[in-house]
């Protein structure tokens, strides 16, 4: 295991960038030289999983699973770009609109992670908690719960991108405009929520809880914005292939299940344990969907 406590933030970011470069190189080699399944989406899924295994190797070698954190936002625009480049005869207007939304989302989310992450001496608090609960199976939990399952969830969310990139024959319509506006609104909401939280962290008093701005209308506006982004992606897929409505929102449901079943409960339990007055926020402010707080 590599010692990382003495690494600066810049040096830590370089190591993470190296890990991603190696992971993406492995994925590219698989797509170029590996056996084909004759299904473009499946070929890319295998490459995605191989890249995730590379990141897992770096995480274990450095004793820090936060190597994976930015993978969530780095990969989706690459998946869309690859699917689009491999598809012939697909008109580009819908794909361009989708690419704009995905790139804005990816840049914002990755930049926010890079800004807030202090370096490899820090690890997301949820990861050691999950590993400790697993006992001697900590490596298994690290591989599946922290690396592979999130990769599969993001891939499910990205499948509507595959539909947009590989299907032709439907002109732009009202649903595309709605999808584009929802996507832009989601990115803007997440950006505002991030800025408000960073300002609060700089200025807060000991024990103070966040209940101002967007955080006064939703306890987790960042998760709401994230969910809205994936809804936007699904709406683009629905616009490209309305007949596939029965599965197109599977990725959105997977994200919602993760937020409601794991991410939000863990965040709220930690907040209550560290700041008991957070219960007042729970009593007044809705959990996810923004609305005016109760008096």
């Amino acid at each position: 295991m590599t010692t990382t406590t003495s690494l600066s933030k810049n040096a830590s970011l370089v190591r993470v960038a190296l890990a991603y470069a190696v992971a993406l190189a492995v994925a590219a080699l698989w797509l170029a030289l590996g056996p084909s399944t004759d299904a473009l989406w499946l070929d890319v899924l295998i490459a995605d999983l191989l890249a995730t295994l590379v990141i897992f190797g770096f995480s274990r070698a450095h004793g820090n699973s936060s190597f994976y954190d930015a993978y969530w936002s780095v990969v989706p625009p690459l998946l869309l770009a690859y699917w689009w480049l491999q598809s012939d005869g697909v008109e580009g207007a819908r794909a361009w609109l989708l690419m704009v939304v995905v790139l804005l989302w990816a840049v914002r989310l990755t930049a926010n992670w890079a800004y807030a992450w202090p370096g490899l001496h820090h690890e997301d608090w949820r990861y050691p908690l999950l590993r400790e609960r697993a006992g001697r199976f900590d490596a298994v939990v690290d591989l599946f719960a922290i690396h592979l399952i999130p990769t599969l969830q993001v891939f499910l969310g990205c499948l509507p991108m595959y539909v947009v990139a590989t299907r032709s024959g439907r002109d732009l319509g009202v649903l595309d405009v709605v999808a584009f506006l929802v996507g832009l609104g989601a990115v803007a909401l997440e950006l505002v929520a991030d800025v408000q939280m960073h300002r609060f962290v700089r200025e807060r008093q000991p024990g103070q809880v966040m209940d101002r701005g967007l955080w006064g209308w939703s306890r987790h506006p960042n998760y709401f914005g994230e969910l809205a982004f994936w809804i936007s992606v699904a709406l683009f897929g629905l616009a490209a292939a309305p007949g596939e409505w029965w599965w197109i929102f599977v990725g959105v449901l997977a994200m919602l299940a993760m937020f409601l079943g794991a991410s939000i409960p863990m965040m709220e339990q930690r907040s209550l344990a560290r700041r008991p007055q957070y219960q007042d926020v729970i009593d007044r402010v809705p959990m996810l969907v923004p609305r005016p707080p109760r008096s």
Side-chain angles (χ1 to χ4, degrees):
M1 182 181 297
T2 301
T3 301
T4 58
T5 55
S6 60
L7 288 177
S8 67
K9 178 174 180 174
N10 287 338
S12 298
L13 289 173
V14 168
R15 291 211 183 188
V16 172
L18 174 63
Y20 282 46
V22 174
L24 294 176
V26 169
L29 284 173
W30 172 265
L31 291 172
L33 304 176
S36 173
T37 66
D38 295 324
L40 182 59
W41 68 269
L42 185 54
D43 290 336
V44 171
L45 173 59
I46 295 172
D48 194 9
L49 292 173
L50 289 174
T52 302
L53 291 176
V54 173
I55 301 299
F56 172 71
F58 275 88
S59 294
R60 298 300 291 183
H62 289 78
N64 191 327
S65 295
S66 280
F67 261 90
Y68 182 82
D69 287 350
Y71 194 78
W72 180 283
S73 54
V74 168
V75 167
L78 300 178
L79 298 184
L80 174 57
Y82 182 80
W83 282 328
W84 194 5
L85 290 172
Q86 293 299 311
S87 302
D88 297 324
V90 175
E91 56 272 8
R94 179 176 293 112
W96 274 116
L97 290 178
L98 175 57
M99 181 61 84
V100 168
V101 171
V102 173
L103 283 176
L104 288 174
W105 167 84
V107 169
R108 186 216 64 81
L109 189 54
T110 307
N112 184 64
W113 168 80
Y115 172 80
W117 187 56
L120 280 169
H121 59 276
H122 171 83
E123 184 180 28
D124 188 303
W125 60 271
R126 290 168 290 192
Y127 301 157
L129 182 63
L130 290 171
R131 293 195 299 266
E132 288 168 9
R133 290 175 178 175
R136 60 195 180 101
F137 298 104
D138 69 300
V140 176
V141 168
D142 195 1
L143 173 61
F144 285 93
I146 299 175
H147 290 80
L148 289 180
I149 291 177
T151 289
L152 292 174
Q153 287 178 309
V154 171
F155 191 85
L156 284 175
C158 289
L159 281 177
M161 300 182 195
Y162 174 77
V163 173
V164 171
T166 58
R167 306 293 172 85
S168 59
R170 295 191 64 86
D171 296 331
L172 287 178
V174 174
L175 190 55
D176 294 289
V177 176
V178 172
F180 187 66
L181 293 177
V182 169
L184 294 183
V187 174
L189 187 148
E190 288 185 290
L191 177 61
V192 172
D194 287 343
V195 171
Q196 290 177 346
M197 179 56 74
H198 292 318
R199 183 180 299 123
F200 170 76
V201 170
R202 291 195 303 267
E203 301 172 352
R204 67 182 170 186
Q205 301 299 316
Q208 187 178 3
V209 295
M210 177 55 153
D211 61 352
R212 62 184 70 171
L214 290 174
W215 301 83
W217 285 53
S218 168
R219 302 200 299 273
H220 302 279
N222 52 339
Y223 288 149
F224 177 77
E226 186 71 10
L227 187 64
F229 164 75
W230 293 108
I231 290 174
S232 167
V233 172
L235 290 175
F236 274 114
L238 186 63
E244 302 189 30
W245 59 268
W246 54 276
W247 71 266
I248 213 80
F249 287 90
V250 169
V252 175
L253 295 177
M255 296 293 174
L256 181 61
M258 181 185 67
F259 292 153
L260 297 182
S263 299
I264 290 177
M266 292 180 73
M267 293 288 291
E268 304 234 304
Q269 289 170 13
R270 185 171 187 255
S271 294
L272 283 170
R274 300 173 69 190
R275 295 178 290 275
Q277 60 269 41
Y278 185 69
Q279 183 62 52
D280 175 65
V281 178
I282 292 176
D283 294 338
R284 292 185 296 105
V285 180
M287 180 178 64
L288 187 62
V289 180
R291 64 162 175 77
R294 298 184 184 94
S295 59

